[in-house]
Amino acid sequence: MTAQALVALPTTYGSIKRVYNALERYRKILITAHTRPDGDATGSSVAIARLLQAHGWEPTVALSPIGMGPPKFLLEYAHCIAPTNVKAKDYDAVLVLDCGGRERIPEGPLRDAVDKLPVICIDHHVVAQKKPFDIARWIVTTASSTGELIYQFAKRFKWEIDLHTAEALWVAIVTDTGRYAYSCTKPSTLKAGADLLACGIDAAAINDRLFLYASEGAVLLKRKAYDSLTTWFRGKVALICLTARDFKRAGVAKSEIEDAIDIPRSIPTAKISLFFYETKDKPGITRLSIRTRGDDSRYSSASIASHFGGGGHLRAAGCDLQMPPKQAIEHVKAYLAEILDA
């Protein structure tokens, strides 16, 4: 799919009312998000679970805490189970958040439940699939985060946001906006943040927990990432790379260095920033995080990721390459040489 085709896609699918009406038909709701849940996936799931429970539903959150990193503290705020413990017969429907397609649901009992039960979806990812896996959806691709959509959902139906729910929404929004620094931050995003602050959350303490505190291993791993920094095509592309061996030696998970992509992004000439990494649990498979800037119509993060079977947003996306990092780097470089006419 070309960058132009992605840009031409609609920005809103379904509606908030359709999602609410669908939820009204069920009571026992299984809530989940994409594999390797980040702050937005975790915060959104916990927040909507708390909101639904306060209004008569029986929600259960199914997210894996393994490798989740700092947002994991939110799992204490809702009834949560491991995806491997899901039994479809225990639920009436599934609410999928922050997930662009069925293939991003963890394999096993959780995906089986998604296949068997009615699925409702709230998301902000670019929608490319012709056959969505949901019966009702509210997808706004211009939203900063799924967390901002959950905040709007609560406001639309005049549901009170208590302290723990506000903390979960803060984590969701602040992580996906890069502390309100990314281009996805809109006036509505800042308004949501201001309202969450008014709920009494300790934003400074949460932000320190999310972005400042790090283990010695994580700091040393970032140094390794800095050492790998490389630029291509007269500085238009900047990249870093970490191998499974690097993660194993450091004794940390990728979730502990989520901001490593900011290393190549710090190069001012870089229109495309790349982070290649191979995790210790999946050696031989390279994950690629992509960030782009500028108005060049030849590329976007989503279009680059889509070319390699992934997806995401206009300026932030990712994909998996079924090859080790060295081979993956050359594979992606060859493609970028074509679209950049390098």
Side-chain angles (χ1 to χ4, degrees), residues 288-300:
L288 174 60
S289 291
I290 308 165
R291 302 291 185 271
T292 56
R293 61 164 66 102
D295 299 320
D296 196 320
S297 62
R298 291 174 296 174
Y299 61 84
S300 70

Side-chain angles (χ1 to χ4, degrees), residues 182 261 265 271-273 289-293 301 315-317:
Y182 296 158
I261 188 63
R265 285 185 72 243
K271 304 300 183 184
I272 302 173
S273 301
S289 291
I290 308 165
R291 302 291 185 271
T292 56
R293 61 164 66 102
S301 295
R315 297 298 172 213

Side-chain angles (χ1 to χ4, degrees), residues 14 53 65 71 88-89 92 97 108 149 153 166 171 210 230 267 272 304:
Q53 185 171 23
K89 65 181 180 62
D92 301 325
L97 305 175
L149 295 177
F153 194 93
V171 170
L210 294 174
T230 307
I267 304 299
I272 302 173
I304 295 170

Side-chain angles (χ1 to χ4, degrees), residues 277-294:
Y277 61 94
E278 175 193 38
T279 58
K280 54 188 177 182
D281 59 323
K282 289 188 177 180
I285 298 176
T286 303
R287 178 71 178 167
L288 174 60
S289 291
I290 308 165
R291 302 291 185 271
T292 56
R293 61 164 66 102

